[in-house]
């Protein structure tokens, strides 16, 4: 066995609610994985301490001493500067925090930090459904709608490091209000936050009845993928309308990206897709087909479901840490 084949890395997905860590090798094989609550209320230093604890626990489960790890990759929900500083992570309450420097100081490892959607896209590109492709778009429908671009094998983050904000592409002029302050953003239609806001309005302003009211106990801001799935499977009229609409709009967004970039693949990930991907995929494909130009690009840029699920960000961050 060559020494290269023995190298082990850690990858961590720092999410708003949970931390997910994998220990893997340079070919993306997972040796151990573990998770822990993020507890963002502890502040930056408190969360970093939890990340370190998780990396130590996972590496001991993998039977790889910390000092033998060749590096650590980290994905975080923020634009990331080249030195590993997170510029703004609203889910964590972080602004301009030096993630890479803090982890390096605590763990003594070389650390590379990337935006979580960039890492998730790179994960599927390097080790998942898009393996072997050159240019890939990742769309993640969860609490928000995130995206990542890998073009000719490289993550594209633009001149200022914050490209691929696909959730804020406008798909409906003067459309629904988005959390960013604009109107008609894709995220206002195709994300749990957007769906929850629309749902609340349907119930409170239009007086519509839906199973979702009971399933959410009246608190639509806590709308979960499993709840949406349950109501949808029971053919609840409002749930079906909201989810089919979200899938169609996601398809319109995917279609616009295909028209612009003609990638080799578009994959769909995120919590809603992990729960309901098989059901929603044909609707997303149909939405894209409505708008893609030319039609040949729709045939080329297959829209599929991601396969790495919870591991995508951590494995992508790990792959990026290989350099
Ligand atoms: Zn927006």
């Amino acid at each position: 066995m060559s020494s290269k084949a023995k190298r082990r890395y850690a990858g961590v997905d720092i999410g708003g609610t949970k931390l997910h860590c994998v220990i893997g090798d340079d070919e993306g094989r997972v040796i151990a994985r573990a998770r822990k609550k993020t507890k963002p209320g502890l502040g930056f230093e408190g969360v970093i301490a939890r990340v370190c604890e998780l990396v130590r626990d996972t590496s001991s489960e993998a039977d790889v001493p910390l000092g033998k790890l060749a590096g650590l990759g980290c994905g975080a929900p923020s634009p990331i500067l080249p030195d590993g500083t997170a510029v703004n992570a609203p889910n964590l309450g972080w602004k301009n925090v030096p993630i890479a420097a803090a982890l390096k100081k605590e763990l003594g490892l070389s650390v590379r930090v990337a935006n979580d959607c960039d890492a998730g896209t790179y994960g599927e590109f390097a080790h998942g459904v898009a393996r072997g492709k050159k240019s890939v778009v990742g769309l993640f429908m969860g609490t928000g709608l995130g995206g990542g671009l890998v073009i000719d094998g490289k993550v594209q983050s633009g001149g200022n490091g914050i490209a691929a904000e696909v959730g804020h592409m406008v798909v409906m002029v003067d459309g629904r209000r988005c959390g960013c302050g604009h109107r008609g953003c894709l995220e206002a239609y195709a994300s749990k936050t957007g769906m929850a806001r629309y749902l609340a309005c349907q119930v409170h302003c239009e007086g519509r009845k839906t199973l979702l009211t009971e399933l959410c106990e009246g608190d639509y801001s806590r709308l979960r993928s499993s709840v949406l799935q349950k109501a949808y499977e029971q053919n609840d009229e409002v749930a079906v309308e909201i989810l089919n609409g979200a899938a169609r709009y996601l398809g319109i967004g995917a279609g616009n990206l295909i028209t612009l970039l003609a990638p080799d693949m578009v994959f769909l990930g995120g919590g809603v897709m992990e729960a309901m991907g098989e059901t929603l995929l044909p609707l997303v494909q149909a939405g894209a087909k409505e708008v893609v130009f030319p039609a040949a690009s729709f045939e080329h840029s297959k829209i599929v479901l991601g396969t790495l699920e919870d591991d995508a960000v951590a494995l992508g961050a790990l792959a990026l840490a290989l350099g």
Side-chain angles (χ1 to χ4, degrees):
M1 192 185 282
S2 73
S3 61
K4 187 172 180 282
K6 289 181 193 159
R7 293 205 296 173
R8 305 281 189 255
Y9 296 80
V12 178
D13 176 3
I14 303 180
T17 52
K18 62 179 192 285
L19 307 169
H20 182 76
C21 177
V22 299
I23 304 293
D25 63 18
D26 25 21
E27 287 171 8
R29 277 185 292 260
V30 175
I31 301 158
R33 57 167 70 74
R35 55 172 54 184
K36 208 179 185 62
K37 283 188 179 156
T38 308
K39 301 195 176 173
L42 296 172
F44 175 64
E45 282 167 15
V47 172
I48 290 296
R50 293 180 68 75
V51 172
C52 293
E53 216 174 280
L54 181 62
V55 172
R56 287 193 180 99
D57 290 351
T58 321
S59 62
S60 77
E61 200 189 311
D63 210 13
V64 181
L66 198 63
K68 296 276 185 200
L69 286 173
L72 165 66
C74 225
S78 165
I80 305 292
L81 299 179
D83 70 353
T85 296
V87 178
N88 184 15
N91 288 345
L92 295 163
W94 293 355
K95 275 196 173 166
N96 297 313
V97 291
I99 299 180
L103 289 172
K104 190 175 179 185
K105 189 175 160 211
E106 284 300 316
L107 298 171
L109 295 169
S110 95
V111 180
R112 165 117 188 233
V113 184
N115 168 266
D116 56 355
C117 292
D118 289 349
T121 304
Y122 199 76
E124 294 282 1
F125 163 79
H127 302 303
V129 71
R131 195 169 187 163
K133 304 290 182 192
K134 276 186 172 171
S135 297
V136 180
V137 172
L139 298 172
F140 300 89
M141 180 155 75
T143 306
L145 183 80
L149 303 176
V150 172
I151 306 288
D152 286 333
K154 293 220 158 46
V155 172
Q156 303 295 312
S157 47
N160 59 357
I162 50 179
E165 284 290 347
V166 298
H168 303 282
M169 298 191 305
V170 173
V171 292
M172 175 65 81
V173 172
D174 299 329
R176 289 185 204 163
R177 179 80 69 189
C178 177
C180 75
H182 296 165
R183 279 187 177 277
C185 295
L186 183 54
E187 184 169 285
Y189 296 81
S191 71
K192 279 191 286 183
T193 308
M195 288 188 267
R197 197 175 294 143
Y198 178 73
L199 172 61
C201 178
Q202 289 301 299
V203 173
H204 298 309
C205 319
E206 307 290 334
R208 295 178 72 180
K209 300 269 181 268
T210 164
L211 286 173
L212 291 165
T213 304
E214 193 186 321
L215 291 169
C216 295
E217 295 170 348
D219 182 1
Y220 301 116
S221 68
R222 299 176 71 90
L223 190 64
R224 294 200 310 271
S225 302
S226 58
V227 160
L228 284 165
Q229 184 183 17
K230 201 167 179 182
Y232 191 92
E233 282 171 356
Q234 294 186 41
N235 248 334
D236 178 80
E237 188 186 281
V238 175
V240 170
E241 176 187 317
I242 289 176
L243 280 157
N244 286 0
R248 182 179 177 219
Y249 275 99
L250 185 59
I252 303 284
N256 283 330
L257 290 162
I258 292 170
T259 300
L260 180 69
L261 302 164
D264 302 315
M265 179 176 275
V266 176
F267 75 84
L268 313 176
V272 178
M273 283 298 157
E274 282 163 28
M276 302 188 62
E278 297 291 340
T279 308
L280 299 179
L281 177 63
L283 302 172
V284 177
Q285 290 167 331
K289 202 170 184 179
E290 285 182 51
V291 298
V292 170
F293 184 88
S297 288
F298 178 77
E299 299 305 325
H300 174 79
S301 305
K302 297 279 183 258
I303 303 176
V304 301
L305 299 176
T307 53
L308 298 178
E309 302 197 338
D310 271 0
D311 284 342
V313 173
L315 268 182
L318 184 156
L320 286 166
L322 305 182

